[in-house]
């Protein structure tokens, strides 16, 4: 039996095994998708074990390893290098290659929300980790012009802005301090708000409910059995908002393609994910 693995810390909340296993089973592929909770100090050993496992076809990578794992691999492709984050590992013989499918996943989510309209030019991006890097790679080619980057540690936002400015000089990137009133001001001006932090997984939101208004587009990369607090507040204020499940499916389908060389059965994956989310709410829609 072959295996694909998800590395992260924590990973117990992840629903990737549900839809990835459904895809492998649908395609009659003898692959088992497994979770591995790996603390940062144990990551090198986990990758060494992956490299030595002849049955491992690859892996997914999630918080907090996306930005640090590349140095443990044999190579990273152009997109992963440009983004500065790896969320998928593909075995190529004895070599482990880093890829980034979050870019594909976020592009799918943004296209779903925009629905053929002109994307907003003013954006508030909350977070400066691997997910935020993938978001910026998409925004750079999606019509955005001015992007405020808010992060709890301002220096990380500044570092990200410098890195992206070098590759996308047409963007105006402004790191902003993590302060409630400043975030509220930035949110009011933004036509598109993206939360790329993990706060939604903990039932929290980086923005006060008064930060939203009708006409805004809002994406929370977090997802759960029910809408995240950020998504609920945005919708209540008249904004259009989605959580991270569309990005999750998009990046997972791209990873499946890379591992197997087959087109992912996206309808099967989406049905499995929605079923799992429904089960976690006790049957509530």
């Amino acid at each position: 039996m072959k295996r694909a693995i998800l590395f992260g810390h924590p990973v117990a909340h992840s629903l990737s095994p549900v839809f990835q296993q459904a895809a492998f089973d649908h395609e009659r592929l003898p692959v088992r998708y497994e979770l591995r909770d790996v603390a940062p100090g144990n990551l090198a050993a986990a990758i060494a074990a992956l490299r030595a496992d002849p049955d491992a076809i690859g892996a997914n990578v999630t918080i907090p390893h996306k930005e640090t794992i590349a140095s443990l691999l044999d190579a990273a492709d152009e997109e992963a290098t440009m983004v500065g984050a790896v969320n998928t590992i593909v075995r190529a013989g004895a070599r482990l290659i880093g890829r980034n499918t979050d870019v594909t996943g976020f592009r799918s989510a943004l296209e779903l929300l925009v629905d053929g309209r002109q994307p907003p030019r003013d954006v508030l991006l909350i977070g400066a980790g691997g997910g935020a890097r993938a978001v910026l790679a998409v925004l750079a080619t999606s019509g955005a012009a001015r992007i405020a980057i808010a992060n709890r540690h301002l220096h990380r936002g500044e570092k990200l802005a410098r890195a992206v400015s070098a590759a996308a000089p047409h963007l105006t990137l402004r790191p902003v301090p993590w302060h409630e009133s400043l975030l509220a001001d930035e949110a009011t001006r933004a036509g598109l708000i993206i939360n790329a932090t993990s706060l939604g997984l903990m039932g929290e939101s980086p923005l006060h409910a008064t930060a939203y208004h009708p006409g805004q587009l809002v994406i929370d990369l977090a997802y759960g059995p029910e809408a995240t607090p950020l998504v609920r507040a945005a919708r209540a204020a008249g904004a259009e908002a989605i959580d991270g499940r569309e990005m999750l499916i998009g990046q997972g389908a791209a990873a499946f393609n890379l591992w197997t060389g087959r087109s992912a059965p996206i309808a099967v994956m989406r049905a499995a994910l929605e079923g799992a989310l429904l089960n976690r709410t006790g049957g509530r829609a």
Side-chain angles (χ1 to χ4, degrees):
M1 175 74 72
K2 300 293 184 180
R3 62 176 58 86
I5 300 164
L6 172 63
F7 294 119
H9 183 66
V11 291
H13 68 278
S14 177
L15 290 177
S16 289
V18 172
F19 65 80
Q20 290 289 14
Q21 196 61 60
F24 289 129
D25 293 346
H26 181 270
E27 296 296 305
R28 294 182 172 85
L29 295 172
V31 181
R32 184 173 61 249
Y33 192 93
E34 302 175 354
L35 293 174
R36 299 279 171 84
D37 192 317
V38 179
N42 299 326
L43 185 59
I47 295 303
L50 177 71
R51 190 187 305 279
D53 183 355
D55 292 326
I57 62 173
N60 283 140
V61 183
T62 189
I63 295 171
H65 304 312
K66 292 182 181 183
E67 296 170 81
T68 59
I69 202 167
S71 63
L72 301 172
L73 306 177
D74 297 294
D77 73 353
E78 182 177 353
E79 190 155 66
T81 300
M82 177 191 71
V83 172
V86 168
N87 80 309
T88 299
I89 300 171
V90 180
R91 181 183 291 280
R95 305 174 74 229
L96 298 179
I97 311 300
R99 306 289 295 266
N100 191 298
T101 64
D102 278 339
V103 173
T104 298
F106 181 73
R107 185 175 290 111
S108 297
L110 182 62
E111 289 174 353
L112 175 70
L113 186 61
V114 170
D115 192 24
R117 294 169 291 184
Q118 183 69 28
R121 293 176 60 80
D122 291 288
V123 181
L124 170 60
L125 171 61
I126 306 171
R133 288 172 175 270
V135 167
L136 285 170
V138 175
L139 293 179
T141 60
S142 298
R146 295 169 292 275
I147 304 174
I149 304 174
N151 193 70
R152 286 192 185 278
H153 302 288
L154 181 60
H155 70 91
R156 292 199 70 197
E158 292 171 336
K159 180 180 178 181
L160 179 57
R162 287 194 298 270
V164 174
S165 292
H170 63 286
L171 293 177
T172 299
L173 300 165
R174 292 186 301 103
V176 297
W178 188 281
H179 187 278
E180 184 174 329
S181 63
L182 293 177
L183 288 175
D185 288 344
E186 295 294 345
T188 299
R189 286 192 288 267
L192 172 63
I193 299 173
I194 302 154
N195 176 36
T197 75
S198 59
L199 287 173
L201 299 177
M202 298 175 279
E204 301 176 14
S205 173
L207 294 173
H208 191 272
T210 57
Y212 312 101
H213 58 73
Q216 281 179 325
L217 303 180
V218 179
I219 304 177
D220 192 343
L221 302 195
Y223 69 95
E226 299 177 327
T228 65
L230 184 147
V231 168
R232 290 199 303 271
R235 289 173 176 170
E240 297 179 52
I242 61 173
D243 65 13
R245 66 189 69 186
E246 189 65 28
M247 179 174 175
L248 180 69
I249 287 291
Q251 65 81 25
F256 182 94
N257 296 348
L258 291 171
W259 292 329
T260 67
R262 300 190 186 191
S263 296
I266 293 179
V268 170
M269 299 170 84
R270 182 174 283 110
L273 175 62
E274 295 298 337
L277 288 169
L278 189 61
N279 286 338
R280 287 192 178 184
T281 64
R284 298 189 305 275

